[in-house]
Every structure is written in C-alpha cells, then in structure tokens.
Amino acid sequence: MDKLIHYPMVIGEELVSTGSEDLVDPATGQVFATVALGSKADVDQAVGIAKQAQVTWATLSYGERSAALLKLCDALEAKSEELARLESQNSGKPLKLTVEGDIPFAIDNLRYFASVLRRQEGAAAGSYIGGYTSMIRREPIGVVGAITPWNYPFMMAIWKLGPALAAGNAVVIKPAPNTPVTTIELAKIALDSGFPAGLINVVTGGAEVGEAICTHPNTRMISFTGSTRTGKRIAELASPMVKRVTLELGGKAPFVVFADADVEAAAHGAVAASYVNSGQDCTAATRIYVQNEAFDQFLNRFIDLSKQVKVGNPFEEGTDIGPLVSETQRLKVKGYVEEARQQGIKVALGGELPESEGFYYPPTILVDAPEDSNCVREEIFGPVVVVNRFSDEAEAIKLANNTPYGLAGSVWTLNVQRAMRMSAAMECGTVWVNDHIPIASEMPHGGFKESGIGKDMSYYALEEYTVVKHVVFDNTGEQRKPWHAVVLGEAN
Ligand code: NAD
C-alpha cells in the first residue's frame, strides 16, 4: 500500500508533525491520509508566536495589509482546483460544489476584507466636547482563537481569517478534527507565498485543543462556528477573562410557502435549499410550512423533484449530493428518521440506507410531523426535511419562530406587502424572499436567539474583530480648562 499523506500543523514557520490521527474519505469509508494531533503545548507555542507576529502586522499601513492579503488571495486562487479536490475528498462534498461554490466564494470573501479594511467607519473626528477634538480609532484585538466545524471547512476558516487579519490581528485556528486538510493547506500556501509567518497558525485536534485555545490568557477573542451546545461551552470558557466571542451556531430554518406563491419555483427552491451539501448546512431549509390551499400541489412537486436528485460519488459528473461527512453523522440522521417513523410520522420519500460503501443517505421527506417532535425541533444535519401545513399569516409567523434557533429562513409569496410583513416578523439573521440560500461577502451572516452572537462576512464582521477607542485631544493648550472647576473650584 502507498504511504498515506500526512498533514502537519502549521505553527509560525514550522510544519509540526506530532501525533497522528487517521482521516477517512466519506465516499469510501477508507482512510486516505493522516493528520497531526495537537496538544495544549502546541496551543501555547502557537499563541506565543502569533502574539509576536501580530505586533508587527498591526503597524503596517492599511494599504500594506491589504496588499499582503490580496497577494494571498492570488496564491489561493492559483491552487483553487487542488483545494477543491482536497475539500471534496475530505468532506464528501460534490466537486461541483467545491469548484463553483465553496473555494471561489471563500476567496472572494477574503478579497472583500482585503479591500474594505481600507475604509473603516466610525463617527467623524470633531469637537463633541467644546475645546477638544475627539476621534475614533479601531484597534486590533490581538490574538484571535478561531474554531471551525466540518461542514464548510475552507469557507469557515476564511470567514474567520479574513476579518481577523484585515483588522490587524493574528489567528490560531483549530479546524474540526475530521476535516482539517484545506485549513492546513491554506496556511501552507500562505507561508509559501510570502504571507508573514505567525499570523495564521493551525493547531489540530478536538475539544481538548479547542478548550486550550479558549482559556489561553493571550487569546483575546474566540471566534467560533459550530453547534449551539459547543457554543454555550465556549461562552462559559471565555467569560472568566471577559474575552470577546462571536458564535455562529446551529439553525433550523423555516421555509414558508403561501398559496399566493409561485409554487413551482418554491418546489425547485426547496430541493436546492434542503439538500445542499447533503443538508449539512446551518441555513438549509429544514421546516417547510405550506399554506393549506397549496399543500398537495407543493408536496407532490417537491417529491417528484427530490426523486431526481442524484446521490453519488463527489467526483462523478452529475452528482448532486455526496455522502454525509462521517458514519457518526449518518447514524445520527438515521436515528431521527427512525424515531419519526416510530412516532407514526409519514415518510413520503427516502429514509432507507443505500447498500454501498461510504456514508450516503438519500433525500428524505417527512410529512405532518407534530411541532414538538424531535425532527421539527432539533438540527438533523442531513438531507431530511419536514413538510407541515398552516392556515394563515399569523400561524405562519408563529410556526416559523417556534424554535430556539434563528439563523435563517425564507418566505415564498407574490404579495409584496405580505413579504415585507413576514421578513420583519421572522426572528432570523437572514430572510430570503422567493429564494433560500444565496449569500454575499458584503452582507452579514449570523443568528438571532440560540443561533449565536455576532456576524460573519460584511463590514459588520470587520467591526467584531476591532476594539473601538475614543481618543480626545485638547485643542486650546490652556493649563486650566473650564471643566477643572468641578474639582479645583473657581479660586485656583
Ligand atoms: P461542533 O460544535 O461539534 O464542533 C465545532 C468545533 O468545535 C470543532 O472544531 C470541534 O472540535 C470544536 N469543539 C468541540 N467541543 C469543544 C469544546 N469543548 N471547546 C472548544 N472547541 C470544541 O460542531 P460540528 O458538528 O463540527 O458542526 C456542525 C454545527 O455547526 C451545526 O450545529 C451547524 O449548524 C453549525 N454551523 C453553523 C454555522 C453558522 O454560520 N451559524 C455555519 C456552519 C456550521
């Protein structure tokens, strides 16, 4: 057997190969590479190096910082095909998704931050206090600890690195243990292309390494994307030192179809929104609510279109959705569907494991599930969607918001006023009208309620990675200012 490729950590300028864990190809279930396994000592070393590198990075002019990031974008773009292939092999995503979606979109995101850092916003300098000039500076935070999930490994890494680096910080990043490959490659490409060493450090491992990052005295901010459960733990770990946190957590997105919608468009939209990335997407449509009058028409068409989704090897042409990321994830998804079946919930499509190697799971549609059932309440994170009904707008709002999550949702209607009312009433960070999923580097992504705190992407994200400082200049040069009288009295 050929020797397996080994992926090391990247700490400062060094490739560090301590420890070894197997990486499994989700399409075959076979080990395809190994990855280093980091420890608390590696976190200590990485944070120390990042702290030093950050000091110099923060002194660069905005133009210089921007130029360095844009050069990194070019280097990543030159390797984008290779990155896409690695991402597909490591995570099971169809190649068309990584080639046309994840990798170019992430690079666009980094380019956006490289540009927008040159025009930072705040109140204009001026005499807010008589005789003084106030101005705003946006300072970097220092070393940012970033922790990412397995569903969009490269994209999530860039969503953290882009604003953090643009704002003048250094980063110690921990990818998910099972999908570290493209984050490691990103850091290696950065070093090879001359990006300053020590600004992007990758320490691999699981919860233990993540907790070491969160509790290290010199990580001043923790930027986390992952489950709500882990997000709550991160907030706990960060609180004793009052570290800043951004938490991009789970979702259970509603997809609300009114009878006055273009039902054919809604059915197409539902297929794309429910099964994208095999449903392992925090904004995926998971709770479809359809108004009674359009219910049968929508459901029949949705089932028809869902049957046409091709589940297959990520590298085969024509594959729409690949395997789930791991056997653990597949068993979790299977468990939710079996539980629903036992509760008498109708499985209108799918729900059976295919007899093939790899962690495949078919598009699955559950119908008329009680609102308190786990398949409606909890994140399944697979190609499984519930289709339920509602009678009027008030009920639609109630159902859409009937969840602890609040990341994203959509409303389908051709009535403009209704679309306006619904988009205001839905408690989620993104509301789409007559579509579901598209996002833009310039626009924010982040949740309401237990879907998190803070924003990824957009200028709002850049703000998250800066500390706002008020600098006050005396304009007059007088030794005794009028306000001194409150302490010294009039006489002195
Ligand atoms: P997860 O919470 O299990 O793990 C996420 C990361 O946290 C991994 O790197 C993991 O090793 C690390 N981790 C686990 N325990 C930790 C601890 N105690 N301390 C520090 N780090 C720890 O999530 P996952 O299963 O990898 O990813 C799927 C989840 O991510 C879903 O809930 C999904 O909705 C969410 N997600 C959210 C967004 C968003 O933008 N809101 C985007 C993508 C994924």
Side-chain angles (χ1 to χ4, degrees), residues 147-152 156 159 174-177 205-211 214 224-228 230-231 233-234 237 247-251 281-282 329 379 381 407 445 451 456:
I147 298 175
T148 54
W150 46 258
N151 63 337
Y152 289 94
M156 293 301 107
W159 283 16
K174 189 197 84 60
E208 201 183 317
V209 170
E211 298 217 354
C214 294
F224 172 76
T225 299
S227 62
T228 294
T230 310
R233 174 74 182 141
I234 303 270
L237 294 170
L247 303 172
E248 297 290 347
L249 310 178
D281 183 305
C282 48
Q329 188 59 20
E379 239 189 339
F381 239 52
L407 190 59
H445 171 87
S451 285
D456 277 338

mmCIF file of all heavy atoms in Angstrom, residues 147-152 156 159 174-177 205-211 214 224-228 230-231 233-234 237 247-251 281-282 329 379 381 407 445 451 456, ligand 1:
data_model
loop_
_atom_site.group_PDB
_atom_site.id
_atom_site.type_symbol
_atom_site.label_atom_id
_atom_site.label_comp_id
_atom_site.label_asym_id
_atom_site.label_seq_id
_atom_site.Cartn_x
_atom_site.Cartn_y
_atom_site.Cartn_z
ATOM 1 N N ILE A 147 -12.261 28.615 15.918
ATOM 2 C CA ILE A 147 -12.611 27.180 15.984
ATOM 3 C C ILE A 147 -13.719 26.934 14.963
ATOM 4 O O ILE A 147 -14.737 27.638 14.962
ATOM 5 C CB ILE A 147 -13.078 26.818 17.416
ATOM 6 C CG1 ILE A 147 -11.916 27.065 18.399
ATOM 7 C CG2 ILE A 147 -13.545 25.371 17.484
ATOM 8 C CD1 ILE A 147 -12.274 26.859 19.861
ATOM 9 N N THR A 148 -13.501 25.976 14.086
ATOM 10 C CA THR A 148 -14.423 25.814 12.943
ATOM 11 C C THR A 148 -15.016 24.395 12.876
ATOM 12 O O THR A 148 -14.447 23.449 13.415
ATOM 13 C CB THR A 148 -13.690 26.135 11.616
ATOM 14 O OG1 THR A 148 -12.515 25.342 11.544
ATOM 15 C CG2 THR A 148 -13.342 27.603 11.525
ATOM 16 N N PRO A 149 -16.155 24.253 12.184
ATOM 17 C CA PRO A 149 -16.836 22.961 12.069
ATOM 18 C C PRO A 149 -16.433 22.225 10.784
ATOM 19 O O PRO A 149 -15.645 22.733 9.985
ATOM 20 C CB PRO A 149 -18.297 23.388 11.991
ATOM 21 C CG PRO A 149 -18.252 24.666 11.217
ATOM 22 C CD PRO A 149 -16.954 25.336 11.540
ATOM 23 N N TRP A 150 -17.048 21.062 10.582
ATOM 24 C CA TRP A 150 -16.647 20.215 9.456
ATOM 25 C C TRP A 150 -17.474 20.432 8.198
ATOM 26 O O TRP A 150 -17.187 19.864 7.164
ATOM 27 C CB TRP A 150 -16.704 18.732 9.846
ATOM 28 C CG TRP A 150 -17.959 18.320 10.577
ATOM 29 C CD1 TRP A 150 -18.083 18.114 11.919
ATOM 30 C CD2 TRP A 150 -19.264 18.082 10.024
ATOM 31 N NE1 TRP A 150 -19.381 17.770 12.237
ATOM 32 C CE2 TRP A 150 -20.125 17.739 11.092
ATOM 33 C CE3 TRP A 150 -19.794 18.122 8.726
ATOM 34 C CZ2 TRP A 150 -21.476 17.443 10.906
ATOM 35 C CZ3 TRP A 150 -21.141 17.831 8.552
ATOM 36 C CH2 TRP A 150 -21.959 17.496 9.628
ATOM 37 N N ASN A 151 -18.538 21.227 8.264
ATOM 38 C CA ASN A 151 -19.438 21.229 7.098
ATOM 39 C C ASN A 151 -18.978 22.115 5.935
ATOM 40 O O ASN A 151 -19.273 21.806 4.782
ATOM 41 C CB ASN A 151 -20.883 21.543 7.515
ATOM 42 C CG ASN A 151 -21.044 22.913 8.119
ATOM 43 O OD1 ASN A 151 -20.087 23.496 8.616
ATOM 44 N ND2 ASN A 151 -22.253 23.422 8.069
ATOM 45 N N TYR A 152 -18.276 23.210 6.251
ATOM 46 C CA TYR A 152 -17.669 24.047 5.196
ATOM 47 C C TYR A 152 -16.247 24.394 5.653
ATOM 48 O O TYR A 152 -15.974 25.564 5.980
ATOM 49 C CB TYR A 152 -18.486 25.325 4.967
ATOM 50 C CG TYR A 152 -19.818 25.087 4.299
ATOM 51 C CD1 TYR A 152 -20.976 24.924 5.044
ATOM 52 C CD2 TYR A 152 -19.912 25.012 2.908
ATOM 53 C CE1 TYR A 152 -22.206 24.684 4.427
ATOM 54 C CE2 TYR A 152 -21.136 24.781 2.282
ATOM 55 C CZ TYR A 152 -22.274 24.617 3.052
ATOM 56 O OH TYR A 152 -23.486 24.381 2.440
ATOM 57 N N MET A 156 -15.322 28.289 6.224
ATOM 58 C CA MET A 156 -15.412 28.759 7.615
ATOM 59 C C MET A 156 -14.066 29.311 8.079
ATOM 60 O O MET A 156 -14.005 30.293 8.822
ATOM 61 C CB MET A 156 -15.864 27.632 8.557
ATOM 62 C CG MET A 156 -17.284 27.151 8.334
ATOM 63 S SD MET A 156 -18.515 28.458 8.526
ATOM 64 C CE MET A 156 -18.982 28.734 6.846
ATOM 65 N N TRP A 159 -13.823 32.722 6.625
ATOM 66 C CA TRP A 159 -14.762 33.660 7.273
ATOM 67 C C TRP A 159 -14.177 34.193 8.583
ATOM 68 O O TRP A 159 -14.553 35.271 9.037
ATOM 69 C CB TRP A 159 -16.106 32.977 7.549
ATOM 70 C CG TRP A 159 -16.985 32.823 6.341
ATOM 71 C CD1 TRP A 159 -16.615 32.939 5.033
ATOM 72 C CD2 TRP A 159 -18.383 32.524 6.326
ATOM 73 N NE1 TRP A 159 -17.686 32.722 4.213
ATOM 74 C CE2 TRP A 159 -18.786 32.460 4.976
ATOM 75 C CE3 TRP A 159 -19.322 32.273 7.332
ATOM 76 C CZ2 TRP A 159 -20.105 32.181 4.598
ATOM 77 C CZ3 TRP A 159 -20.635 31.985 6.956
ATOM 78 C CH2 TRP A 159 -21.018 31.946 5.599
ATOM 79 N N LYS A 174 -8.268 26.285 14.902
ATOM 80 C CA LYS A 174 -8.408 24.836 15.059
ATOM 81 C C LYS A 174 -9.546 24.362 14.172
ATOM 82 O O LYS A 174 -10.718 24.663 14.437
ATOM 83 C CB LYS A 174 -8.727 24.473 16.515
ATOM 84 C CG LYS A 174 -8.661 22.962 16.729
ATOM 85 C CD LYS A 174 -9.345 22.510 17.988
ATOM 86 C CE LYS A 174 -10.821 22.316 17.806
ATOM 87 N NZ LYS A 174 -11.189 21.317 16.787
ATOM 88 N N PRO A 175 -9.229 23.633 13.101
ATOM 89 C CA PRO A 175 -10.320 23.082 12.279
ATOM 90 C C PRO A 175 -10.967 21.900 12.994
ATOM 91 O O PRO A 175 -10.436 21.415 13.995
ATOM 92 C CB PRO A 175 -9.589 22.618 11.012
ATOM 93 C CG PRO A 175 -8.163 22.423 11.404
ATOM 94 C CD PRO A 175 -7.893 23.276 12.615
ATOM 95 N N ALA A 176 -12.111 21.438 12.484
ATOM 96 C CA ALA A 176 -12.739 20.240 13.047
ATOM 97 C C ALA A 176 -11.770 19.060 12.874
ATOM 98 O O ALA A 176 -11.046 18.996 11.884
ATOM 99 C CB ALA A 176 -14.060 19.956 12.342
ATOM 100 N N PRO A 177 -11.758 18.130 13.830
ATOM 101 C CA PRO A 177 -10.753 17.056 13.780
ATOM 102 C C PRO A 177 -10.820 16.210 12.508
ATOM 103 O O PRO A 177 -9.790 15.719 12.034
ATOM 104 C CB PRO A 177 -11.079 16.191 14.997
ATOM 105 C CG PRO A 177 -12.132 16.871 15.755
ATOM 106 C CD PRO A 177 -12.622 18.062 15.007
ATOM 107 N N GLY A 205 -6.793 19.012 16.332
ATOM 108 C CA GLY A 205 -7.271 18.270 17.499
ATOM 109 C C GLY A 205 -8.746 18.528 17.739
ATOM 110 O O GLY A 205 -9.415 19.161 16.926
ATOM 111 N N GLY A 206 -9.225 18.029 18.870
ATOM 112 C CA GLY A 206 -10.646 18.133 19.174
ATOM 113 C C GLY A 206 -10.924 19.092 20.317
ATOM 114 O O GLY A 206 -10.278 20.139 20.438
ATOM 115 N N ALA A 207 -11.860 18.688 21.192
ATOM 116 C CA ALA A 207 -12.334 19.589 22.255
ATOM 117 C C ALA A 207 -11.202 20.043 23.172
ATOM 118 O O ALA A 207 -11.175 21.197 23.609
ATOM 119 C CB ALA A 207 -13.413 18.877 23.061
ATOM 120 N N GLU A 208 -10.253 19.138 23.449
ATOM 121 C CA GLU A 208 -9.185 19.490 24.396
ATOM 122 C C GLU A 208 -8.361 20.669 23.870
ATOM 123 O O GLU A 208 -8.070 21.626 24.596
ATOM 124 C CB GLU A 208 -8.293 18.260 24.577
ATOM 125 C CG GLU A 208 -7.496 18.279 25.848
ATOM 126 C CD GLU A 208 -6.577 17.063 25.926
ATOM 127 O OE1 GLU A 208 -7.027 15.941 25.583
ATOM 128 O OE2 GLU A 208 -5.420 17.254 26.284
ATOM 129 N N VAL A 209 -8.006 20.591 22.590
ATOM 130 C CA VAL A 209 -7.231 21.678 21.976
ATOM 131 C C VAL A 209 -8.104 22.936 21.898
ATOM 132 O O VAL A 209 -7.650 24.048 22.167
ATOM 133 C CB VAL A 209 -6.719 21.250 20.579
ATOM 134 C CG1 VAL A 209 -6.130 22.430 19.824
ATOM 135 C CG2 VAL A 209 -5.685 20.144 20.726
ATOM 136 N N GLY A 210 -9.384 22.762 21.555
ATOM 137 C CA GLY A 210 -10.301 23.905 21.484
ATOM 138 C C GLY A 210 -10.391 24.606 22.832
ATOM 139 O O GLY A 210 -10.345 25.841 22.906
ATOM 140 N N GLU A 211 -10.485 23.829 23.903
ATOM 141 C CA GLU A 211 -10.602 24.444 25.236
ATOM 142 C C GLU A 211 -9.307 25.157 25.614
ATOM 143 O O GLU A 211 -9.334 26.212 26.260
ATOM 144 C CB GLU A 211 -10.987 23.376 26.271
ATOM 145 C CG GLU A 211 -12.345 22.758 25.948
ATOM 146 C CD GLU A 211 -13.206 22.428 27.155
ATOM 147 O OE1 GLU A 211 -12.729 22.567 28.290
ATOM 148 O OE2 GLU A 211 -14.386 22.053 26.936
ATOM 149 N N CYS A 214 -9.455 28.467 24.011
ATOM 150 C CA CYS A 214 -10.427 29.378 24.657
ATOM 151 C C CYS A 214 -9.915 29.921 25.983
ATOM 152 O O CYS A 214 -10.269 31.024 26.375
ATOM 153 C CB CYS A 214 -11.742 28.646 24.930
ATOM 154 S SG CYS A 214 -12.588 28.160 23.442
ATOM 155 N N PHE A 224 -16.054 31.433 16.968
ATOM 156 C CA PHE A 224 -16.453 30.019 16.892
ATOM 157 C C PHE A 224 -17.595 29.817 15.908
ATOM 158 O O PHE A 224 -18.552 30.593 15.881
ATOM 159 C CB PHE A 224 -16.902 29.552 18.289
ATOM 160 C CG PHE A 224 -17.509 28.175 18.298
ATOM 161 C CD1 PHE A 224 -16.716 27.047 18.198
ATOM 162 C CD2 PHE A 224 -18.894 28.003 18.389
ATOM 163 C CE1 PHE A 224 -17.273 25.769 18.200
ATOM 164 C CE2 PHE A 224 -19.462 26.739 18.383
ATOM 165 C CZ PHE A 224 -18.641 25.615 18.296
ATOM 166 N N THR A 225 -17.508 28.782 15.129
ATOM 167 C CA THR A 225 -18.658 28.297 14.360
ATOM 168 C C THR A 225 -18.822 26.818 14.649
ATOM 169 O O THR A 225 -17.864 26.046 14.554
ATOM 170 C CB THR A 225 -18.477 28.524 12.849
ATOM 171 O OG1 THR A 225 -18.361 29.917 12.610
ATOM 172 C CG2 THR A 225 -19.669 27.996 12.059
ATOM 173 N N GLY A 226 -20.033 26.439 15.013
ATOM 174 C CA GLY A 226 -20.296 25.036 15.323
ATOM 175 C C GLY A 226 -21.661 24.905 15.958
ATOM 176 O O GLY A 226 -22.534 25.769 15.764
ATOM 177 N N SER A 227 -21.838 23.856 16.737
ATOM 178 C CA SER A 227 -23.170 23.598 17.291
ATOM 179 C C SER A 227 -23.475 24.553 18.448
ATOM 180 O O SER A 227 -22.574 25.082 19.094
ATOM 181 C CB SER A 227 -23.231 22.155 17.794
ATOM 182 O OG SER A 227 -22.286 21.991 18.836
ATOM 183 N N THR A 228 -24.755 24.718 18.726
ATOM 184 C CA THR A 228 -25.178 25.579 19.832
ATOM 185 C C THR A 228 -24.659 25.025 21.162
ATOM 186 O O THR A 228 -24.228 25.777 22.037
ATOM 187 C CB THR A 228 -26.714 25.695 19.834
ATOM 188 O OG1 THR A 228 -27.083 26.395 18.628
ATOM 189 C CG2 THR A 228 -27.234 26.462 21.029
ATOM 190 N N THR A 230 -21.848 23.342 21.784
ATOM 191 C CA THR A 230 -20.441 23.717 21.992
ATOM 192 C C THR A 230 -20.321 25.232 22.157
ATOM 193 O O THR A 230 -19.497 25.703 22.944
ATOM 194 C CB THR A 230 -19.567 23.231 20.814
ATOM 195 O OG1 THR A 230 -19.840 21.853 20.584
ATOM 196 C CG2 THR A 230 -18.095 23.395 21.098
ATOM 197 N N GLY A 231 -21.142 25.987 21.440
ATOM 198 C CA GLY A 231 -21.102 27.447 21.550
ATOM 199 C C GLY A 231 -21.340 27.909 22.981
ATOM 200 O O GLY A 231 -20.680 28.837 23.469
ATOM 201 N N ARG A 233 -20.663 26.234 25.647
ATOM 202 C CA ARG A 233 -19.443 25.882 26.406
ATOM 203 C C ARG A 233 -18.332 26.922 26.145
ATOM 204 O O ARG A 233 -17.633 27.345 27.062
ATOM 205 C CB ARG A 233 -18.984 24.472 25.990
ATOM 206 C CG ARG A 233 -17.671 24.033 26.571
ATOM 207 C CD ARG A 233 -17.783 23.673 28.050
ATOM 208 N NE ARG A 233 -16.497 23.290 28.603
ATOM 209 C CZ ARG A 233 -16.080 23.623 29.817
ATOM 210 N NH1 ARG A 233 -16.847 24.329 30.620
ATOM 211 N NH2 ARG A 233 -14.911 23.226 30.252
ATOM 212 N N ILE A 234 -18.210 27.350 24.888
ATOM 213 C CA ILE A 234 -17.181 28.336 24.534
ATOM 214 C C ILE A 234 -17.448 29.640 25.301
ATOM 215 O O ILE A 234 -16.531 30.260 25.837
ATOM 216 C CB ILE A 234 -17.211 28.632 23.007
ATOM 217 C CG1 ILE A 234 -17.030 27.359 22.189
ATOM 218 C CG2 ILE A 234 -16.258 29.760 22.614
ATOM 219 C CD1 ILE A 234 -15.669 26.961 21.835
ATOM 220 N N LEU A 237 -16.287 29.248 28.779
ATOM 221 C CA LEU A 237 -14.821 29.248 28.905
ATOM 222 C C LEU A 237 -14.244 30.653 28.721
ATOM 223 O O LEU A 237 -13.230 31.004 29.319
ATOM 224 C CB LEU A 237 -14.191 28.303 27.862
ATOM 225 C CG LEU A 237 -14.489 26.817 28.037
ATOM 226 C CD1 LEU A 237 -14.016 26.032 26.811
ATOM 227 C CD2 LEU A 237 -13.802 26.276 29.291
ATOM 228 N N LEU A 247 -20.201 33.833 18.003
ATOM 229 C CA LEU A 247 -20.701 32.456 17.986
ATOM 230 C C LEU A 247 -21.662 32.303 16.813
ATOM 231 O O LEU A 247 -22.712 32.932 16.788
ATOM 232 C CB LEU A 247 -21.436 32.158 19.298
ATOM 233 C CG LEU A 247 -20.632 32.344 20.597
ATOM 234 C CD1 LEU A 247 -21.532 32.204 21.815
ATOM 235 C CD2 LEU A 247 -19.482 31.339 20.672
ATOM 236 N N GLU A 248 -21.250 31.526 15.840
ATOM 237 C CA GLU A 248 -22.126 31.212 14.697
ATOM 238 C C GLU A 248 -22.589 29.782 14.900
ATOM 239 O O GLU A 248 -21.824 28.840 14.694
ATOM 240 C CB GLU A 248 -21.351 31.343 13.373
ATOM 241 C CG GLU A 248 -20.846 32.738 13.081
ATOM 242 C CD GLU A 248 -21.951 33.727 12.739
ATOM 243 O OE1 GLU A 248 -23.092 33.296 12.482
ATOM 244 O OE2 GLU A 248 -21.663 34.930 12.744
ATOM 245 N N LEU A 249 -23.837 29.620 15.324
ATOM 246 C CA LEU A 249 -24.258 28.306 15.836
ATOM 247 C C LEU A 249 -25.299 27.636 14.933
ATOM 248 O O LEU A 249 -25.391 27.948 13.750
ATOM 249 C CB LEU A 249 -24.746 28.485 17.275
ATOM 250 C CG LEU A 249 -23.760 29.258 18.173
ATOM 251 C CD1 LEU A 249 -24.314 29.442 19.572
ATOM 252 C CD2 LEU A 249 -22.395 28.596 18.225
ATOM 253 N N GLY A 250 -26.054 26.761 15.524
ATOM 254 C CA GLY A 250 -26.957 25.929 14.727
ATOM 255 C C GLY A 250 -28.151 26.679 14.154
ATOM 256 O O GLY A 250 -28.373 27.850 14.449
ATOM 257 N N GLY A 251 -28.914 25.974 13.340
ATOM 258 C CA GLY A 251 -30.104 26.559 12.739
ATOM 259 C C GLY A 251 -31.154 25.493 12.467
ATOM 260 O O GLY A 251 -30.862 24.286 12.485
ATOM 261 N N ASP A 281 -25.927 21.940 6.371
ATOM 262 C CA ASP A 281 -25.784 23.386 6.187
ATOM 263 C C ASP A 281 -26.658 24.042 7.252
ATOM 264 O O ASP A 281 -27.837 23.690 7.398
ATOM 265 C CB ASP A 281 -26.266 23.751 4.775
ATOM 266 C CG ASP A 281 -26.094 25.216 4.462
ATOM 267 O OD1 ASP A 281 -26.611 26.060 5.229
ATOM 268 O OD2 ASP A 281 -25.475 25.530 3.444
ATOM 269 N N CYS A 282 -26.050 24.990 7.973
ATOM 270 C CA CYS A 282 -26.777 25.581 9.106
ATOM 271 C C CYS A 282 -27.969 26.418 8.645
ATOM 272 O O CYS A 282 -28.872 26.677 9.433
ATOM 273 C CB CYS A 282 -25.828 26.417 9.946
ATOM 274 S SG CYS A 282 -24.834 27.523 8.952
ATOM 275 N N GLN A 329 -22.299 10.789 11.753
ATOM 276 C CA GLN A 329 -23.328 11.719 11.305
ATOM 277 C C GLN A 329 -24.476 10.949 10.643
ATOM 278 O O GLN A 329 -25.648 11.256 10.829
ATOM 279 C CB GLN A 329 -22.710 12.753 10.346
ATOM 280 C CG GLN A 329 -23.627 13.888 9.970
ATOM 281 C CD GLN A 329 -24.105 14.688 11.177
ATOM 282 O OE1 GLN A 329 -23.500 14.656 12.241
ATOM 283 N NE2 GLN A 329 -25.216 15.380 11.016
ATOM 284 N N GLU A 379 -31.737 20.043 15.198
ATOM 285 C CA GLU A 379 -30.942 20.057 13.973
ATOM 286 C C GLU A 379 -30.605 18.619 13.588
ATOM 287 O O GLU A 379 -29.954 17.920 14.358
ATOM 288 C CB GLU A 379 -29.632 20.786 14.273
ATOM 289 C CG GLU A 379 -29.390 21.989 13.437
ATOM 290 C CD GLU A 379 -27.984 22.542 13.621
ATOM 291 O OE1 GLU A 379 -27.311 22.279 14.621
ATOM 292 O OE2 GLU A 379 -27.577 23.267 12.706
ATOM 293 N N PHE A 381 -29.195 17.801 10.409
ATOM 294 C CA PHE A 381 -27.961 17.969 9.636
ATOM 295 C C PHE A 381 -27.725 16.821 8.655
ATOM 296 O O PHE A 381 -26.661 16.191 8.603
ATOM 297 C CB PHE A 381 -26.765 18.135 10.584
ATOM 298 C CG PHE A 381 -26.046 19.436 10.354
ATOM 299 C CD1 PHE A 381 -26.727 20.636 10.344
ATOM 300 C CD2 PHE A 381 -24.669 19.455 10.117
ATOM 301 C CE1 PHE A 381 -26.079 21.833 10.122
ATOM 302 C CE2 PHE A 381 -24.006 20.647 9.892
ATOM 303 C CZ PHE A 381 -24.714 21.838 9.892
ATOM 304 N N LEU A 407 -31.344 31.428 12.712
ATOM 305 C CA LEU A 407 -30.247 31.773 11.801
ATOM 306 C C LEU A 407 -30.765 32.309 10.472
ATOM 307 O O LEU A 407 -30.321 33.354 9.995
ATOM 308 C CB LEU A 407 -29.359 30.538 11.578
ATOM 309 C CG LEU A 407 -28.052 30.804 10.839
ATOM 310 C CD1 LEU A 407 -27.200 31.817 11.582
ATOM 311 C CD2 LEU A 407 -27.264 29.514 10.660
ATOM 312 N N HIS A 445 -23.857 37.584 7.995
ATOM 313 C CA HIS A 445 -24.420 36.265 8.253
ATOM 314 C C HIS A 445 -24.277 36.009 9.748
ATOM 315 O O HIS A 445 -23.169 36.095 10.291
ATOM 316 C CB HIS A 445 -23.626 35.215 7.450
ATOM 317 C CG HIS A 445 -23.981 33.807 7.805
ATOM 318 N ND1 HIS A 445 -25.017 33.131 7.215
ATOM 319 C CD2 HIS A 445 -23.438 32.950 8.699
ATOM 320 C CE1 HIS A 445 -25.088 31.907 7.730
ATOM 321 N NE2 HIS A 445 -24.144 31.778 8.632
ATOM 322 N N SER A 451 -29.003 30.833 17.842
ATOM 323 C CA SER A 451 -28.130 30.644 16.666
ATOM 324 C C SER A 451 -26.869 31.496 16.768
ATOM 325 O O SER A 451 -26.012 31.417 15.897
ATOM 326 C CB SER A 451 -28.884 30.960 15.375
ATOM 327 O OG SER A 451 -29.767 29.903 15.068
ATOM 328 N N ASP A 456 -20.596 37.023 10.733
ATOM 329 C CA ASP A 456 -19.531 36.683 9.786
ATOM 330 C C ASP A 456 -19.822 37.472 8.517
ATOM 331 O O ASP A 456 -20.956 37.878 8.267
ATOM 332 C CB ASP A 456 -19.558 35.186 9.447
ATOM 333 C CG ASP A 456 -18.837 34.339 10.486
ATOM 334 O OD1 ASP A 456 -17.991 34.888 11.208
ATOM 335 O OD2 ASP A 456 -19.123 33.130 10.557
HETATM 336 P P1 NAD B 1 -19.303 21.065 16.951
HETATM 337 O O1 NAD B 1 -19.848 22.101 17.861
HETATM 338 O O2 NAD B 1 -19.371 19.654 17.378
HETATM 339 O O3 NAD B 1 -17.746 21.351 16.672
HETATM 340 C C1 NAD B 1 -17.314 22.562 16.126
HETATM 341 C C2 NAD B 1 -15.865 22.775 16.508
HETATM 342 O O4 NAD B 1 -15.756 22.929 17.907
HETATM 343 C C3 NAD B 1 -14.943 21.625 16.135
HETATM 344 O O5 NAD B 1 -13.713 22.157 15.698
HETATM 345 C C4 NAD B 1 -14.774 20.902 17.463
HETATM 346 O O6 NAD B 1 -13.587 20.149 17.557
HETATM 347 C C5 NAD B 1 -14.752 22.063 18.424
HETATM 348 N N1 NAD B 1 -15.110 21.738 19.806
HETATM 349 C C6 NAD B 1 -15.910 20.733 20.247
HETATM 350 N N2 NAD B 1 -16.014 20.786 21.603
HETATM 351 C C7 NAD B 1 -15.276 21.861 22.011
HETATM 352 C C8 NAD B 1 -15.007 22.446 23.275
HETATM 353 N N3 NAD B 1 -15.500 21.928 24.408
HETATM 354 N N4 NAD B 1 -14.218 23.531 23.322
HETATM 355 C C9 NAD B 1 -13.711 24.080 22.198
HETATM 356 N N5 NAD B 1 -13.924 23.557 20.951
HETATM 357 C C10 NAD B 1 -14.701 22.459 20.872
HETATM 358 O O7 NAD B 1 -19.995 21.309 15.550
HETATM 359 P P2 NAD B 1 -19.830 20.435 14.208
HETATM 360 O O8 NAD B 1 -20.609 19.188 14.408
HETATM 361 O O9 NAD B 1 -18.391 20.367 13.828
HETATM 362 O O10 NAD B 1 -20.539 21.369 13.109
HETATM 363 C C11 NAD B 1 -21.888 21.361 12.857
HETATM 364 C C12 NAD B 1 -22.563 22.506 13.585
HETATM 365 O O11 NAD B 1 -22.040 23.755 13.135
HETATM 366 C C13 NAD B 1 -24.038 22.583 13.316
HETATM 367 O O12 NAD B 1 -24.717 22.840 14.522
HETATM 368 C C14 NAD B 1 -24.177 23.769 12.367
HETATM 369 O O13 NAD B 1 -25.432 24.381 12.379
HETATM 370 C C15 NAD B 1 -23.101 24.660 12.866
HETATM 371 N N6 NAD B 1 -22.701 25.642 11.836
HETATM 372 C C16 NAD B 1 -23.105 26.941 11.980
HETATM 373 C C17 NAD B 1 -22.776 27.888 11.018
HETATM 374 C C18 NAD B 1 -23.207 29.324 11.164
HETATM 375 O O14 NAD B 1 -22.727 30.153 10.403
HETATM 376 N N7 NAD B 1 -24.076 29.662 12.102
HETATM 377 C C19 NAD B 1 -22.027 27.506 9.909
HETATM 378 C C20 NAD B 1 -21.628 26.181 9.796
HETATM 379 C C21 NAD B 1 -21.965 25.257 10.774
#
